[in-house]
């Protein structure tokens, strides 16, 4: 993508998410710590309290959110705009799993992953939401850096287990915010 195309993409994303009040990443430096479980339970709780909530699963290699919420509907696609299905009242869910066969691996390199995330942010029409929770894959790679820098987000919730190895990896996720001098909030480490 050249600089002009990137600027257009970023403006499209900013315009598309401006109707979302709170954009929060759910992340961890380590896999298997319950990040998706936290994201799903928080989304369900917010929706149950009457907040209009979106849950976007961008764990491209292990998208579990659809299965966890029992998503059976496919998104509606109209003229390159994607409308996420409402799973429950006040809860819309979008996942890469809606576009791939079950158990099919996603074999993509960094630029393809970033392009997919930008499409999710620019082409998925969430409408007015109180909260958009973005369930990230483990680590601090291309997807994380792109979202932290390019998405006008409000903060993150970081998920860990108490083991030293998990906490060490989580510290890297926290440092992603600190080292990049990004003025976002870490709402908590769970």
């Amino acid at each position: 993508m050249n600089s002009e195309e990137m600027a257009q993409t970023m403006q499209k994303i900013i315009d598309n998410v401006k109707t979302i009040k709170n954009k929060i990443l759910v992340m961890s430096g380590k896999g298997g710590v319950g990040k998706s479980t936290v994201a799903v339970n928080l989304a369900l709780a917010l929706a149950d309290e009457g907040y209009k909530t979106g849950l976007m699963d961008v764990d491209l290699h292990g998208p579990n959110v659809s299965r966890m919420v029992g998503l059976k509907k496919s998104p509606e696609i109209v003229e390159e705009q994607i409308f996420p299905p409402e799973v429950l009242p006040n809860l819309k869910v979008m996942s890469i799993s809606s576009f791939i066969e079950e158990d099919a691996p996603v074999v993509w390199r960094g630029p393809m992953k970033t392009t997919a995330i930008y499409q999710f942010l620019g082409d998925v029409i969430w409408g007015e939401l109180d909260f958009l929770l973005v369930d990230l894959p483990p680590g601090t790679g291309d997807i994380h850096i792109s979202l932290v820098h390019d998405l006008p987000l409000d903060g993150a919730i970081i998920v860990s287990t108490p083991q030293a190895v998990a906490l060490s990896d989580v510290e890297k996720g926290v440092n992603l915010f600190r080292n990049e001098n990004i003025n976002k909030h870490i709402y908590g480490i769970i």
Side-chain angles (χ1 to χ4, degrees), residues 30-80:
K30 183 94 176 130
V33 296
K35 177 182 47 51
S36 295
T37 301
V38 168
V40 166
N41 284 329
L42 182 56
L44 290 170
L46 289 167
D48 191 50
E49 288 293 319
Y51 293 105
K52 293 179 183 175
T53 305
L55 178 56
M56 185 167 69
D57 184 0
V58 297
D59 188 347
L60 301 178
H61 297 290
N64 295 313
V65 167
S66 294
R67 185 175 292 160
M68 294 172 83
V69 298
L71 179 63
K72 302 290 184 208
K73 303 175 194 172
S74 295
E76 184 179 341
I77 301 173
V78 179
E79 296 179 12
E80 297 185 21

Side-chain angles (χ1 to χ4, degrees), residues 3 6 8 36 41 79 97 129 136 138 154 159 182 184:
S3 60
M6 186 63 164
Q8 290 173 347
S36 295
N41 284 329
E79 296 179 12
S97 66
L129 292 179
L136 293 177
D154 297 289
V159 181
I182 298 163
K184 311 288 192 261

Side-chain angles (χ1 to χ4, degrees), residues 116-158:
I117 301 309
Y118 288 159
Q119 273 193 293
F120 265 34
L121 293 169
D123 295 342
V124 175
I125 308 302
W126 293 99
E128 290 190 21
L129 292 179
D130 296 303
F131 293 93
L132 175 64
L133 302 173
V134 182
D135 183 28
L136 293 177
T140 55
D142 291 338
I143 292 172
H144 306 78
I145 293 166
S146 295
L147 286 172
V148 166
H149 280 283
D150 300 332
L151 178 63
L153 62 97
D154 297 289
I157 296 170
I158 301 181

Side-chain angles (χ1 to χ4, degrees), residues 153-174:
L153 62 97
D154 297 289
I157 296 170
I158 301 181
V159 181
S160 183
T161 57
Q163 293 81 14
V165 172
L167 291 171
S168 174
D169 287 346
V170 163
E171 188 173 351
K172 294 170 188 166
V174 171

